[in-house]
Amino acid sequence: MPLYMCNAARGVIQDAAKAKIAADITRIHCAVTGAPEQFVHAFFAEESPAQPLNDKSAVLFGSIRAGRTDADKAEIKSKMRASIHSHTGIALDKIDVLTADVPASWVLEGGEIMPEPGEEAAWLARHSSGERK
Amino acid sequence: MIACNCVVQANQISTETEASLRVQLSEFAERRFHAPAAINWIAIPEGSGFTAGKPSTSSVVSMQAPEPLSRTEREPLLRELCEIWARETNSSLNEVVGVISDPPTQ
């Protein structure tokens, strides 16, 4: 966690672009939140019924740890939308980026419950060097 | 029914392992939540999953509890869920993200 799931119309995001967007997602999320990159997941699907496109060509849905500020979330959404646009050429108004807050205590990753906001120090110290259980 | 979403990297889990996981996850839901699991299996195409910006071997298994859970109730359930996944897929806990959510508030 975070888990960013990108659903797109068939063929609009090429494999090479996926790698670049995933790198941007990771960089942007970590820069804004301070999270370690090893927990940032970016998955891409096409025409997934689980994540309707409606009138969009690409929808990125991020399940992120609860406790981020509205300003942080706005920055994440704006920058990730720009990344998808720049690597695919999809018009900005055909790209949607959404986030949902997930309480950290609902998630077990790397063998540990994710830390709550304000409790990151020890967890970051363990994980910033890549240590995972 | 207990909603259960499984997000996996395509071709990393065999058909036999998927079948075994479905049984184990259903048994977990019956044992812990007293209802069968409605499993939604999502395979991310090869080359389309990334963790830390690199090709991913991670899987995500999430279930929605039928009623709100305290942290002390949820944690052992999360551990059991992730251990089932790691055991059945012969992967490490580093490659498993487990989520047990509360039901939506009305």
Side-chain angles (χ1 to χ4, degrees):
Chain A
M1 189 70 73
L3 172 62
Y4 287 92
M5 289 282 294
C6 184
N7 187 31
R10 198 166 304 284
V12 301
I13 304 181
Q14 303 299 314
D15 282 352
K18 291 175 186 172
K20 292 174 183 173
I21 295 166
D24 284 351
I25 287 171
T26 305
R27 176 181 51 77
I28 293 164
H29 185 91
C30 295
V32 173
T33 67
E37 67 176 17
Q38 60 264 39
F39 287 131
V40 182
H41 306 282
F43 296 168
F44 296 81
E46 290 187 334
E47 309 282 358
S48 171
Q51 195 176 333
L53 289 169
N54 298 319
D55 65 336
K56 304 297 183 186
S57 297
V59 175
L60 179 64
F61 187 89
S63 298
I64 66 174
R65 192 174 56 129
R68 306 304 183 195
T69 66
D70 288 346
D72 285 349
K73 287 185 267 192
E75 183 178 357
I76 284 171
K77 288 188 268 193
S78 172
K79 289 183 173 176
M80 290 185 185
R81 191 159 163 253
S83 168
I84 294 170
H85 167 70
S86 71
H87 293 303
T88 64
I90 299 171
L92 283 169
D93 65 358
K94 290 292 183 184
I95 302 167
D96 209 358
V97 180
L98 309 164
T99 61
D101 292 346
V102 178
S105 63
W106 290 7
V107 183
L108 189 125
E109 181 164 0
E112 284 195 67
I113 297 290
M114 298 292 277
E116 296 289 349
E119 298 176 0
E120 296 95 340
W123 184 86
L124 280 171
R126 287 195 300 277
H127 292 277
S128 61
S129 61
E131 173 198 338
R132 297 173 83 177
K133 285 184 179 178
Chain B
M1 297 289 276
I2 302 298
C4 177
N5 288 312
C6 303
V7 184
V8 304
Q9 308 303 318
N11 302 323
Q12 287 192 350
I13 293 179
S14 69
T15 305
E16 294 77 13
T17 300
E18 178 185 339
S20 176
L21 269 172
R22 286 176 179 272
V23 170
Q24 293 289 326
L25 293 172
S26 290
E27 289 180 358
F28 173 85
E30 293 271 11
R31 186 167 62 248
R32 299 303 183 195
F33 300 132
H34 313 294
I39 296 173
N40 179 31
W41 190 268
I42 301 166
I44 301 300
E46 269 191 82
S48 298
F50 301 86
T51 295
K54 300 180 178 67
S56 181
T57 57
S58 294
S59 299
V60 182
V61 54
S62 62
M63 279 194 185
Q64 186 179 97
E67 56 192 34
L69 300 171
S70 68
R71 183 176 180 127
T72 53
E73 291 170 323
R74 193 184 320 269
E75 182 167 345
L77 297 175
L78 278 167
R79 293 197 180 284
E80 184 178 351
L81 180 63
C82 288
E83 283 165 6
I84 288 169
W85 191 281
R87 184 182 66 240
E88 292 297 319
T89 61
N90 197 28
S91 57
S92 83
L93 286 175
N94 287 346
E95 298 171 295
V96 186
V97 181
V99 182
I100 296 180
S101 59
D102 283 350
T105 52
Q106 298 300 315

